[in-house]
Amino acid sequence: MTRRRQQLLVGLLAMATAAVGLGVPALAAEPNLAANPGFEQSTAGWTCTAGGSTVAAPVRSGSAALTTTPAGQDNARCSQSVPVKASSSYTLTAWVQGSYTYLGASGTGGTDVSTWSPGSSAWTQLSTSFTTGANTSRVTIYTHGWYGQGAYFVDDVALTGPPGTGDPDPQAPATPGGLTAGSPTSSSISLSWSAVSGAAGYHVYRGGSRVGSVTGTSYTDTGLSPSTSYSYQVSAYNTVGESTRSGAVAASTTGGTGNPGGPLPKRILTGYWQNFVNGAANLRIRDIDPQYDLIAIAFADALTTRPGAVGFSVDPGLSSALGGYSDADMIADIAAKKAQGKRFVFSIGGEKGNVDFSNAANIGAFVETMTALIRKFGVDGVDIDLEHGLHAGNVANAVRQLRNTFGANFIYTMAPQTLDVQPGGRYMPLIEATKDILTVVHTQYYNSGSMNDCNGGVVHQGNIDFITGQACILLKTLRPDQVALGVPASTSGAGSGYVSPSVVNNAASCLVKLQSCGGFKPGAAAANLRGVMTWSINWDHSNGKQFANTVKPHLNSLG
């Protein structure tokens, strides 16, 4: 550099310094276009799929931050719609903490963007940018976690760029009014309320927990206990957010005849009987321990010759191992056990089986063939254990047809996997559609990994907290007498998730009496919890009947 150029640069720097001293204004920072970016007004302006809330700690700035927890099939997305200018550049940032957290923008009219953090115990800034399309007037900014992972925290969201013009900012709807309860039955209560302008739909709450969402202004809550009082509220929602809840209205069901399925004990021990050879004890029906109240015959198999149809016969390998056990022998054994007060269901599905309910013809084939099997073997009902495919509406249709054929004493059970009954799980529509005729759900609390409990905490299979924390979720939808705990009879009965029978007993005591709990304690006792299921009777027999000998007496002791 020459001396002349050095002098010129020094002069320019001096002029710039003087300009600053003379008060020449600096460029103004671009405005933050995000509404309620620091969550100082709770979650106003944001819509959260998992019901986000604010906390006073941890916060990065101000007095609050957002927190929410993903579920097994929900990534806990919180979003808001923001007016923007077409063909313009924007930068989106946020500070995050906790588990996996994503930040992104959609509806940009160009390339939608996102970035993420794998999780941190300290505040970490995420940043991404995008350019809007030629016709874009609004974009959706969002943050979310990852399925089944822990809670995440967000603070100080910022969207910077040219403000949008000529596009009114939408508002969350007003609180619904006029909530009233109609004529109840022994198991249902009907509700109605006044319409709210700008509402996309309505959430219905029973006892503070959401039980349903509808687009109209009425809802019927089903599967309730007879002669019981319930409290309801309703809120309105749209793409911007949810209103506050209405005032509560109380209503009571009428008296009724009790649990669907007829004469079963208050507490039942359910076991699956294996119609195949796999290393567990090979048993005739007559050999089943008398402590089992409900026996699920595993399995009625799909017929390859007719979609939807099912059939059953004693497995040839099992028949040979038992010295020639036949269908006629089994029918006689079932009749003898029923004379002792035991009940039976044909289970469909399982780990390897499936039944195709995809269309009306298949539904008809299933109903026809299952009806014939129930009558031939003298069985009391059906158990849904479909792990590989489920058309919830069609299965509900089929089960109702069977129930209409066999009457109020028809037993209808199901054995969903743990993930299937998490909020939004694939069995939940089937449960909601049939809970008025549902006898019991015995969820498989094994082969599951980690899940969220009903309070949003993460619980790990193989301990009491996993069982009680998962049962708590289902108890928000079903009566306690429709809920049972499904666990392996021995370490051979499942790939993972085995707990000792004593842990099963503690879980039952925790749920029924709020006693012997682990780190998780339910908010209320489920005094009428129906019982316990195990896979399988055969594995229990191989293990010296330790499961039945330990669990059934404890169930009886719970009253």
Side-chain angles (χ1 to χ4, degrees):
M1 180 183 292
T2 66
R3 181 177 180 85
R4 173 65 181 164
R5 292 179 64 189
Q6 288 177 328
Q7 291 174 335
L8 179 61
L9 287 174
V10 170
L12 290 172
L13 289 171
M15 291 172 65
T17 302
V20 171
L22 291 172
V24 175
L27 293 176
E30 290 186 293
N32 186 357
L33 307 181
N36 189 21
F39 305 96
E40 304 303 316
Q41 291 82 46
S42 186
T43 58
W46 296 86
T47 299
C48 297
T49 62
S53 60
T54 55
V55 293
V59 297
R60 181 181 174 270
S61 68
S63 60
L66 169 73
T67 185
T68 185
T69 304
Q73 294 185 334
D74 179 16
N75 60 12
R77 186 177 190 264
C78 292
S79 62
Q80 70 170 259
S81 176
V82 183
V84 292
K85 186 177 180 181
S87 303
S88 301
S89 297
Y90 293 85
T91 298
L92 175 64
T93 62
W95 290 84
V96 301
Q97 186 179 142
S99 191
Y100 294 89
T101 312
Y102 289 71
L103 176 71
S106 62
T108 63
T111 301
D112 292 348
V113 295
S114 69
T115 184
W116 69 290
S117 166
S120 173
S121 59
W123 286 105
T124 301
Q125 189 178 39
L126 296 178
S127 179
T128 187
S129 58
F130 59 91
T131 300
T132 54
N135 299 312
T136 303
S137 60
R138 302 189 75 89
V139 298
T140 298
I141 60 173
Y142 64 84
T143 182
H144 66 74
W146 195 246
Y147 306 94
Q149 300 301 312
Y152 70 89
F153 301 86
V154 180
D155 204 357
D156 297 332
V157 180
L159 178 66
T160 56
T165 58
D167 190 347
D169 192 19
Q171 302 292 320
T175 303
L179 177 62
T180 57
S183 300
T185 70
S186 62
S187 61
S188 68
I189 293 174
S190 59
L191 303 165
S192 62
W193 55 88
S194 301
V196 174
S197 176
Y202 304 87
H203 296 315
V204 179
Y205 295 84
R206 183 207 313 141
S209 298
R210 188 190 298 178
V211 294
S213 299
V214 293
T215 57
T217 56
S218 64
Y219 178 82
T220 299
D221 193 20
T222 59
L224 306 177
S225 298
S227 303
T228 304
S229 178
Y230 297 92
S231 177
Y232 294 93
Q233 294 171 287
V234 64
S235 67
Y237 68 88
N238 59 18
T239 57
V240 176
E242 182 181 2
S243 74
T244 57
R245 299 177 193 176
S246 68
V249 62
S252 298
T253 52
T254 61
T257 56
N259 181 259
L264 281 169
K266 179 180 179 180
R267 315 275 185 207
I268 58 175
L269 180 61
T270 300
Y272 282 78
W273 174 81
Q274 299 176 188
N275 183 41
F276 48 86
V277 176
N278 71 338
N282 300 314
L283 300 176
R284 302 169 180 84
I285 295 293
R286 74 189 76 151
D287 300 326
I288 293 175
D289 190 295
Q291 295 181 98
Y292 286 95
D293 304 293
L294 179 61
I295 297 102
I297 299 169
F299 296 93
D301 295 317
L303 298 179
T304 58
T305 57
R306 185 183 179 191
V310 291
F312 182 87
S313 186
V314 175
D315 177 75
L318 178 62
S319 175
S320 176
L322 294 173
Y325 194 54
S326 67
D327 286 3
D329 294 328
M330 183 175 173
I331 291 168
D333 285 354
I334 290 174
K337 283 285 188 182
K338 288 184 66 174
Q340 299 167 11
K342 310 306 176 185
R343 295 292 178 262
F344 292 81
V345 289
F346 269 123
S347 184
I348 60 167
E351 179 184 4
K352 299 179 180 179
N354 192 30
V355 179
D356 184 357
F357 286 89
S358 61
N359 56 56
N362 293 7
I363 296 171
F366 173 78
V367 172
E368 177 188 331
T369 52
M370 180 55 75
T371 298
L373 287 179
I374 289 172
R375 287 174 171 159
K376 175 181 176 180
F377 285 87
V379 170
D380 302 280
V382 67
D383 172 69
I384 307 299
D385 187 12
L386 297 170
E387 299 183 8
H388 305 291
L390 182 71
H391 294 80
N394 291 353
V395 173
N397 183 343
V399 171
R400 286 197 178 276
Q401 290 187 52
L402 290 172
R403 211 260 190 174
N404 290 339
T405 297
F406 292 100
N409 287 342
F410 178 78
I411 295 177
Y412 163 43
T413 68
M414 62 177 71
Q417 299 175 96
T418 312
L419 181 64
D420 293 336
V421 291
Q422 285 267 314
R426 66 193 186 103
Y427 262 70
M428 294 309 295
L430 175 60
I431 289 172
E432 289 287 354
T434 59
K435 63 185 178 181
D436 59 313
I437 61 170
L438 181 59
T439 307
V440 65
V441 176
H442 29 245
T443 306
Q444 303 175 40
Y445 296 134
Y446 49 94
N447 296 337
S448 302
S450 301
M451 297 283 169
N452 290 113
D453 62 30
C454 64
N455 293 333
V458 178
V459 287
H460 310 284
Q461 69 171 5
N463 58 53
I464 183 175
D465 288 346
F466 187 84
I467 298 172
T468 54
Q470 293 302 305
C472 176
I473 294 175
L474 201 53
L475 286 165
K476 290 184 175 181
T477 298
L478 295 174
R479 302 189 311 267
D481 60 270
Q482 293 176 302
V483 176
L485 316 177
V487 290
S490 72
T491 54
S492 300
S496 62
Y498 170 77
V499 295
S500 70
S502 62
V503 173
V504 179
N505 287 351
N506 288 342
S509 294
C510 178
L511 292 165
V512 172
K513 296 187 175 182
L514 303 182
Q515 298 172 357
S516 304
C517 297
F520 175 88
K521 188 172 184 178
N528 293 326
L529 185 79
R530 201 57 186 273
V532 173
M533 173 277 283
T534 193
W535 178 272
S536 64
I537 295 170
N538 305 68
W539 284 117
D540 187 26
H541 197 93
S542 297
N543 203 35
K545 305 181 183 179
Q546 180 185 3
F547 192 88
N549 289 337
T550 304
V551 175
K552 180 58 176 178
H554 184 72
L555 289 176
N556 292 341
S557 74
L558 293 175

